[in-house]
Amino acid sequence: MTMVAYKNRAHPLWLAYIVHRLSGLFLALFLPLHFWVLAMAASEPGRLDGFLRFTEYGIVKAAEFGLVFGLAIHMFGGLRLLALEWLPWSAPQKTLAAAAASASFLIAALFLMRAFG
Amino acid sequence: MTPQIDRHDTDILILGTGGAGLFAALHARQTAPEAKVTIAVKGLIGKCGCTRMVQGGYNVALGGGDTVERHFMDTIIGGKWLPNQDMAWRLCEQAVVRVRELENEVGCFFDRNPDGTLHQKAFAGQTADRTVHKGDLTGIEIINRLMEKVLASGVEKMQEHRALGLIPTKDGSALAGVLMVDMRTGRFRLVRAKTVLMATGGGPTMYKYHTPSGDKTMDGLAMALRAGLTLRDMEMVQFHPTGLLAGDHTRMTGTVLEEGLRGAGGQLVNHAGQRFMFDYDAKGERATRDVVSRGIYAEMRKNNHPDQEGVFISMSHLGPDFVRQKFKGMVKRCADCGFDLAAGKVEVVPTAHYFMGGVVVDVDTRTAMEGLYVAGEDAGGAHGSNRLGGNGVANSTVYGGIAGDTMGRDVRGMSLRVPDEEVLAAEVARATHPLSVTPGHVLPLRQRLQEVMWEEVGVMRTEAGMRRGLTGIAEVAGELMETGVAGGKVDGDLAFNLTWHDWLNLRSLCDVSEVIAKAGIAREDSRGAHFREDFPETGPLEESAFTVARQVGDAVEVGTEPVRFTLVRPGETILPEGEPETLVAAE
Amino acid sequence: MSTDTIRLTIDRGSETQAFDVPAYESQTVLDVVSWVQQNADPSLAYRFACRVGMCGSCAMMVNGVPRWTCRTHVSKVVEDGALHVGPLRNLPVIRDLVVDMDPFFDKWIAAEGVHHGTRTRDDEIAPVDETSPARVEANSGIECINCSVCYAACDTVAGNPDYLGPAPLLRAWTLLNDAKDAGRVAILDAVSGSGGCHNCHSMGSCTAYCPNELDPMSAIAGLKRETMKHALRGRR
Amino acid sequence: MIGLRLYMAQRISALLMAPFVLGHLAVMIYAIQGGLSAAEILGRTQGSVLWFAFYGLFTVAVSVHAAIGLRAIAHEWGGVSGRALDVLMWVVGLGLLWLGGSAVWAVTYGVAP
Ligand SMILES: Cc1cc2nc3c(=O)[nH]c(=O)nc-3n(C[C@H](O)[C@H](O)[C@H](O)COP(=O)(O)OP(=O)(O)OC[C@H]3O[C@@H](n4cnc5c(N)ncnc54)[C@H](O)[C@@H]3O)c2cc1C
Ligand code: HEM
Ligand code: SF4
Ligand code: F3S
Ligand code: FES
């Protein structure tokens, strides 16, 4: 029942919440790794280069892309949330804000695709 | 085998959490802060009973030309000179205080006029714009605010505790305590108290069509009857003209479609699509509740069609959008149930709404039994033969508060009393009876009782019909005693056993139905809610008398007592000379 | 008319039971559940009172979604002739479909959901301009019937048992905007505690599922703003 | 679980991060065009006070932000509560601050290649 229950209860704001949470969790788990790699820059530049060369491979590239993408989603989701909480929206304004957020999100995604494409 | 009974003591015990029960709790805490107050209720605190279901509003004279005197005269005339005048007076006078208390202390917010003062409107039968309201969900506002206050007040809570019987002292002169069952565990509990308020809210749910909350089944009046108290006006059952008709398999049936629909121009049409109310009254659909109910009933009888029992209320000629906007809540409720009120038509029937009869009390809610107080719909006298729309919730809140104050004062001079163990054992035996009989179905019996009451002791009555009704009631009551409840072993699985409670409910309903029929036979004139086809005229007002009923041994005895015109006599008024008959602008 | 049946599955503690219930044209989920108790299994426990969406005691999970059962027409929720009901989420189960609502009401009071008055019954009733923005805001949440549907819909309540939850916070917001209420500081304190409004993630299930079409999510956002303003002004 | 203060700390750090993230993304996109190498990164960042301030503040904000964020998740999904929850939050926050701080230090004032 649980899965069905979630499926039945899901609605746009809830999906936004769960995406935001999962992306946040993902970022938080990745961050130490990211820092560790960077710290290598100074101590063992050779190793970093080796690692960076790795980024040419598909999987690693995909992971990096996922990361940037995740950061973008999380940020826009977060800004959306801050607007939702801090600006006393009326109902039509909310629809507008949602539209604006999704538009900017789309642009960001396109931008990123271009950059990585 | 006798089940184990938990014993518990308190100072002030309140049964029921409608307007009367909750107000009593607050006032008892205020008047006697040192006393322990316990509130016991068949459902959850504030989430059962009818006060919460109040739509139209609360009658109170707040100036602007309206006076307590005028409210009082409307109440007396509406009650066809049967009300206890001192009670009616106190109701009207204290409503003013109570509504200020509701707004200022309890925190209710009622609708305002543009200048910020309370908005008031007129229900049928009133001569001033008097009814204070919160949209058409007045009861929710009143009960939610009261409930919060009570929950925060530190009273002892006994939720889903059903009162089963009043347990007097050995000599029967005073009340020692109340036998209850904790519905969640199925355990019996005797709660002793120095003072007990019964505010279980009557509730004529023994009719096929009825509006009250599902938890109300006349338990209080049945208990009072067994305890030997005198009940009055027991023939007086108010029918609301427009209850939803959706088949007997749904609990929606009987629920009320609000009065305002007719006021706004809603039309009643019969199966042939014709309006008929003007055949019965010059005011058509806008006549008072009792008149419209009888009109519909008569039309239904003429039609006599098994598949299409009721008549229809039609609003669409007013413009579906207008209806949708003005009656938003009602339209949504109908839509949720699968009916289109705004553009289509909805089938309706008269539906039992309110019970004017009740325990005889004094103006301080005291009864003949020391330690027992009664307020709200359980108490008789304030409305006489008919209750004005808006006087019901005023009555329960006013007298609930008075009961709290009175008990708070009385409790100081009282001590706990010793219960009559024989009565206690008898009440336990009564409640556990169905557990020792072969299980059967309770619902068909309830439906039979409801059918009998609707047909024979309903909107229009005759002596012959009511006698048939008595036979029918006795048959149902007899069969009920042969019908057991499954899963029921004493001390066995009684936890949240709804079917057992259905049985107990029906038992209360049978007992009180009998009294209604007997009182109906005794009143040989038509008055207010009581209409006798064999005595269609109202008797001389000067000789007005009310019926009184008591259980003596196993039999119910009905007599009459003359009304005492302590404040005003028929044909007279207490309004100053030259006052206009009505302040309500004609439509 | 009742040629068809509805396959009703009921969560009853650890087990699940199925019943075939006759279908009718006018039928609510409460009617279907009642049919089982009245005709098939007399031991089934559930709760209701008003039958018309006023008391808020009949809410259950219907196909995983919290709803007032008395006001939910079967046709609206039935899926391939089947219905699944269970006790309301996020509250302790007493038996079958009956939950203990006390935790919900305890939080209602803990959120200072009680009028803080200044006048008494001996005073005149305060004049209030119903068109003032504060009153419009207060009125927007006043019709809550404390049915706990929003409370059951909220995943934050599920994971964070101390969280006061949507309806109690909506009540606090209503009072904060009520010109007659003098409990401003007490309310702001109550909703700033460890179970307060700041635990809400604005997932909006409360607003999406409130059968009364109320908007606790926005009310909670309002509380977040007011508590911040209050704190930034250095009153604590 | 989360009171007013933690809420404000998390929201304010989030707001602060918005420009950082945008800046970071922009730099990444720009940098990535010609392929990434350690020398390139270091060439950009070495000895720059500006870069140090940028990434330093970013790190502080993200440590606060993520620590409080994980606190919520650990409580709601992991059932962690009470002292353990506080300890977890601080460990995560200080841990990130340490790791991030070393990284930022390394790329700005660390030993030259
Ligand atoms: C649909 C509807 C609309 C109405 N509209 C209006 C209106 O607009 N204006 C107006 O003035 N009046 C109206 N009334 C009438 C009004 O609601 C009642 O007159 C009044 O609320 C009764 O209050 P009460 O406190 O006596 O009883 P209730 O509010 O009915 O409370 C009775 C309480 O007793 C409890 N109880 C019952 N049996 C037991 C038991 N055995 N043990 C323990 N507890 C028990 C119940 O659960 C409940 O809590 C309306 C009634 C209905 C049904
Ligand atoms: C501009 C950038 C960012 C913004 C605007 C932002 C915004 C937010 C907001 C408002 C929340 C609160 C969500 C809630 O309580 O429901 C949040 C949660 C969270 N954030 Fe961020 N964030 C940003 C960057 C980051 C980064 C870089 C990380 C990773 C390290 C991160 C990790 C988290 C985590 C783990 C949560 C908890 C998620 C939850 O409670 O559901 N955030 N973020
Ligand atoms: S806000 Fe809506 S869903 Fe929540 S308790 Fe109130 S009425 Fe029910
Ligand atoms: S669903 Fe819960 S998280 Fe907030 S917006 Fe509503 S209370
Ligand atoms: S029974 Fe009252 S809300 Fe459903």
Side-chain angles (χ1 to χ4, degrees):
Chain A
M1 191 65 202
T2 341
M3 264 342 273
V4 183
Y6 274 106
K7 190 190 109 235
N8 285 355
R9 271 208 311 279
H11 56 93
L13 276 177
W14 185 83
L15 288 173
Y17 147 82
I18 200 74
V19 166
H20 187 69
R21 169 158 287 193
L22 293 176
S23 60
L25 188 58
F26 174 65
L27 291 175
L29 295 180
F30 162 80
L31 201 60
L33 193 76
H34 186 65
F35 285 152
W36 174 70
V37 171
L38 272 178
M40 265 195 279
S43 50
E44 300 164 73
R47 262 185 80 191
L48 180 62
D49 274 333
F51 190 82
L52 287 176
R53 227 168 293 120
F54 237 50
T55 56
E56 299 299 317
Y57 296 116
I59 307 172
V60 181
K61 206 167 164 178
E64 283 287 307
F65 175 77
L67 252 165
V68 177
F69 193 66
L71 189 57
I73 306 188
H74 186 79
M75 182 180 72
F76 282 115
L79 290 175
R80 171 203 66 97
L81 194 85
L82 288 175
L84 200 77
E85 290 184 352
W86 287 358
L87 308 173
W89 304 94
S90 67
Q93 275 173 322
K94 245 181 241 165
T95 322
L96 217 99
S102 44
S104 59
F105 181 70
L106 219 90
I107 294 168
L110 282 176
F111 182 62
L112 286 171
M113 303 258 238
R114 211 196 55 121
F116 282 88
Chain B
M1 177 166 74
T2 26
Q4 200 193 323
I5 304 173
D6 298 339
R7 308 231 169 190
H8 189 83
D9 291 341
T10 185
D11 294 325
I12 298 176
L13 173 65
I14 293 163
L15 306 178
T17 62
L22 292 176
F23 250 112
L26 286 185
H27 277 228
R29 296 284 301 147
Q30 288 160 4
T31 311
E34 74 288 353
K36 180 172 169 193
V37 177
T38 303
I39 188 152
V41 57
K42 206 173 174 181
L44 300 179
I45 289 179
K47 292 178 83 66
C48 47
C50 290
T51 311
R52 209 182 163 90
M53 298 169 75
V54 163
Q55 302 181 323
Y58 191 114
N59 283 352
V60 54
L62 291 175
D66 195 14
T67 56
V68 171
E69 284 79 5
R70 185 175 281 282
H71 185 183
F72 170 78
M73 284 310 297
D74 285 352
T75 303
I76 299 299
I77 292 167
K80 300 288 181 306
W81 296 92
L82 279 198
N84 174 313
Q85 298 196 348
D86 298 321
M87 285 179 75
W89 176 259
R90 193 137 194 227
L91 162 64
C92 301
E93 190 191 29
Q94 287 296 308
V96 180
V97 181
R98 203 62 87 236
V99 95
R100 284 202 303 251
E101 188 178 352
L102 280 168
E103 264 271 347
N104 296 349
E105 296 180 29
V106 179
C108 293
F109 182 81
F110 298 116
D111 285 357
R112 297 297 208 268
N113 291 312
D115 69 355
T117 56
L118 289 193
H119 181 255
Q120 291 177 286
K121 59 182 183 180
F123 260 127
Q126 291 183 26
T127 65
D129 289 335
R130 179 179 296 140
T131 310
V132 170
H133 62 109
K134 172 85 198 96
D136 54 9
L137 299 173
T138 311
I140 292 178
E141 178 65 1
I142 292 176
I143 288 295
N144 276 347
R145 303 298 77 90
L146 278 171
M147 173 199 81
E148 293 163 2
K149 283 282 174 196
V150 168
L151 288 178
S153 73
V155 297
E156 182 182 38
K157 300 187 283 184
M158 289 191 182
Q159 302 192 89
E160 304 196 299
H161 273 63
R162 176 195 186 115
L164 291 169
L166 303 174
I167 312 299
T169 53
K170 194 88 197 161
D171 66 1
S173 66
L175 184 64
V178 180
L179 174 68
M180 294 198 241
V181 59
D182 177 344
M183 298 164 71
R184 295 177 178 179
T185 60
R187 286 179 75 88
F188 289 91
R189 207 163 203 201
L190 175 70
V191 180
R192 290 198 307 163
K194 296 169 187 167
T195 65
V196 175
L197 173 67
M198 193 167 88
T200 61
T205 55
M206 65 285 278
Y207 289 88
K208 186 173 174 187
Y209 309 111
H210 59 259
T211 67
S213 185
D215 45 297
K216 297 221 299 187
T217 51
M218 294 280 187
D219 297 338
L221 295 190
M223 290 190 299
L225 196 66
R226 290 202 300 283
L229 289 147
T230 307
L231 311 180
R232 61 169 286 174
D233 297 322
M234 291 296 285
E235 69 279 22
M236 298 301 180
V237 180
Q238 182 173 67
F239 284 82
H240 193 292
T242 52
L244 184 69
L245 184 66
D248 56 13
H249 56 270
T250 172
R251 295 200 190 266
M252 290 183 283
T253 287
T255 57
V256 83
L257 291 182
E258 76 181 61
E259 197 113 56
L261 295 173
R262 284 179 294 120
Q267 296 178 348
L268 293 169
V269 295
N270 60 20
H271 63 290
Q274 287 153 350
R275 281 178 85 180
F276 56 86
M277 264 318 294
F278 284 99
D279 301 349
Y280 299 94
D281 194 281
K283 292 205 194 81
E285 281 90 351
R286 288 196 173 117
T288 49
R289 280 179 189 173
D290 49 337
V291 174
V292 181
S293 294
R294 285 196 287 275
I296 295 176
Y297 189 80
E299 204 66 18
M300 289 167 65
R301 208 152 52 177
K302 264 197 234 159
N303 180 24
N304 194 22
H305 193 305
D307 288 336
Q308 201 254 284
E309 223 181 318
V311 301
F312 294 94
I313 187 158
S314 166
M315 306 294 296
S316 53
H317 61 283
L318 299 171
D321 290 334
F322 168 81
V323 178
R324 242 172 251 138
Q325 177 231 322
K326 168 130 197 205
F327 297 101
K328 193 166 161 254
M330 221 58 236
V331 170
K332 182 157 188 281
R333 190 194 285 180
C334 287
D336 284 353
C337 304
F339 302 102
D340 185 357
L341 178 65
K345 47 184 192 165
V346 177
E347 194 169 2
V348 293
V349 275
T351 175
H353 188 48
Y354 185 88
F355 198 62
M356 274 76 72
V359 179
V360 172
V361 291
D362 70 10
V363 290
D364 288 321
T365 71
R366 292 191 186 92
T367 65
M369 182 181 262
E370 183 186 308
L372 178 67
Y373 305 71
V374 178
E377 202 173 320
D378 272 347
H383 310 297
S385 71
N386 209 355
R387 171 189 69 96
L388 294 183
N391 265 3
V393 60
N395 176 64
S396 61
T397 52
V398 162
Y399 280 105
I402 291 173
D405 290 334
T406 310
M407 290 191 296
R409 280 191 300 271
D410 289 359
V411 76
R412 297 195 179 116
M414 290 180 170
S415 45
L416 288 168
R417 306 175 189 92
V418 181
D420 183 338
E421 295 291 332
E422 268 172 44
V423 178
L424 179 61
E427 287 289 346
V428 171
R430 181 179 183 277
T432 50
H433 172 83
L435 310 177
S436 54
V437 190
T438 322
H441 284 292
V442 178
L443 179 70
L445 290 174
R446 170 115 180 216
Q447 284 170 334
R448 258 173 60 199
L449 177 72
Q450 291 179 332
E451 198 74 48
V452 166
M453 290 301 284
W454 168 253
E455 292 292 339
E456 313 289 9
V457 201
V459 181
M460 294 194 196
R461 303 165 173 179
T462 61
E463 173 164 356
M466 286 187 280
R467 295 220 177 274
R468 279 195 303 276
L470 278 174
T471 313
I473 297 164
E475 279 170 13
V476 171
E479 283 180 46
L480 183 64
M481 296 305 278
E482 308 296 315
T483 306
V485 170
K489 304 175 289 292
V490 176
D491 273 351
D493 204 3
L494 292 181
F496 236 102
N497 188 327
L498 286 191
T499 308
W500 180 40
H501 289 282
D502 285 345
W503 192 97
L504 292 166
N505 289 343
L506 188 53
R507 187 92 210 259
S508 296
L509 289 174
C510 284
D511 290 355
V512 177
S513 295
E514 181 190 338
V515 188
I516 295 176
K518 286 193 169 154
I521 292 169
R523 173 168 291 287
E524 297 193 327
D525 76 342
S526 290
R527 208 181 264 249
H530 177 70
F531 186 82
R532 289 281 298 258
E533 289 177 86
D534 43 358
F535 296 95
E537 301 302 322
T538 300
L541 295 180
E542 276 293 340
E543 290 158 34
S544 294
F546 58 92
T547 61
V548 285
R550 266 189 70 183
Q551 181 169 319
V552 182
D554 274 344
V556 173
E557 288 177 3
V558 178
T560 57
E561 274 182 36
V563 175
R564 289 170 49 237
F565 301 114
T566 52
L567 297 172
V568 62
R569 306 195 66 81
E572 295 173 1
T573 178
I574 58 167
L575 291 180
E577 220 165 305
E579 272 284 299
E581 194 163 310
T582 180
L583 302 172
V584 180
E587 296 207 37
Chain C
M1 211 194 293
S2 66
T3 47
D4 281 349
T5 58
I6 298 160
R7 185 78 176 159
L8 174 71
T9 317
I10 307 178
D11 290 338
R12 304 183 71 174
S14 50
E15 53 177 322
T16 302
Q17 280 179 7
F19 300 89
D20 288 315
V21 181
Y24 295 92
E25 194 178 303
S26 299
Q27 197 174 26
T28 63
V29 175
L30 177 63
D31 293 327
V32 175
V33 170
S34 299
W35 186 93
V36 171
Q37 178 254 329
Q38 288 165 339
N39 298 283
D41 184 347
S43 73
L44 180 68
Y46 56 102
R47 184 191 280 133
F48 77 101
C50 73
R51 317 174 270 151
V52 288
M54 292 182 107
C55 70
S57 47
C58 68
M60 300 172 200
M61 301 305 285
V62 180
N63 292 343
V65 175
R67 293 180 183 280
W68 294 345
T69 53
C70 70
R71 280 277 293 270
T72 303
H73 200 279
V74 167
S75 63
K76 195 161 134 190
V77 286
V78 75
E79 287 170 10
D80 302 326
L83 268 183
H84 190 131
V85 300
L88 207 57
R89 198 167 156 249
N90 295 342
L91 289 165
V93 177
I94 293 177
R95 187 185 171 127
D96 295 341
L97 301 168
V98 183
V99 293
D100 179 0
M101 294 186 79
D102 277 357
F104 173 79
F105 284 105
D106 291 346
K107 289 179 181 178
W108 187 286
I109 301 304
E112 284 293 328
V114 189
H115 176 66
H116 312 80
T118 52
R119 296 177 181 231
T120 74
R121 63 197 79 165
D122 302 322
D123 301 316
E124 286 302 309
I125 289 171
V128 176
D129 175 7
E130 268 202 86
T131 60
S132 69
R135 190 62 235 177
V136 170
E137 192 63 42
N139 275 353
S140 71
I142 206 169
E143 281 169 12
C144 170
I145 64 165
N146 32 69
C147 63
S148 232
V149 161
C150 54
Y151 191 82
C154 178
D155 288 351
T156 307
V157 173
N160 181 354
D162 291 337
Y163 175 44
L164 293 171
L169 291 170
L170 173 65
R171 179 67 189 133
W173 176 243
T174 302
L175 284 168
L176 203 65
N177 283 290
D178 185 344
K180 297 194 303 173
D181 193 276
R184 188 174 175 80
V185 174
I187 294 170
L188 290 175
D189 275 351
V191 302
S192 300
S194 68
C197 62
H198 305 102
N199 291 279
C200 160
H201 301 289
S202 302
M203 72 175 69
S205 298
C206 49
T207 298
Y209 293 109
C210 172
N212 256 341
E213 296 170 8
L214 306 182
D215 187 2
M217 181 179 78
S218 300
I220 296 168
L223 288 174
K224 289 172 179 164
R225 289 195 300 278
E226 288 305 313
T227 48
M228 278 194 298
K229 276 190 213 157
H230 186 71
L232 291 176
R233 283 193 208 115
R235 299 240 184 91
R236 92 218 290 303
Chain D
M1 185 257 321
I2 283 181
L4 175 64
R5 282 185 198 183
L6 287 181
Y7 168 84
M8 297 222 336
Q10 207 213 16
R11 297 308 197 254
I12 289 168
S13 60
L15 209 57
L16 216 69
M17 270 192 293
F20 292 143
V21 168
L22 284 176
H24 185 60
L25 284 181
V27 170
M28 295 249 314
I29 288 160
Y30 167 77
I32 253 169
Q33 306 272 317
L36 227 46
S37 79
E40 235 191 314
I41 297 180
L42 294 176
R44 200 166 45 237
T45 56
Q46 276 287 292
S48 162
V49 184
L50 220 70
W51 281 119
F52 182 77
F54 183 94
Y55 281 109
L57 269 176
F58 197 169
T59 304
V60 173
V62 86
S63 308
V64 171
H65 180 84
I68 301 172
L70 288 180
R71 175 191 174 90
I73 297 179
H75 182 63
E76 288 173 25
W77 288 2
V80 186
S81 59
R83 277 222 78 75
L85 196 60
D86 287 332
V87 169
L88 180 86
M89 177 179 72
W90 282 102
V91 166
V92 170
L94 293 175
L96 281 176
L97 198 63
W98 171 248
L99 278 175
S102 340
V104 172
W105 182 258
V107 295
T108 47
Y109 298 112
V111 216

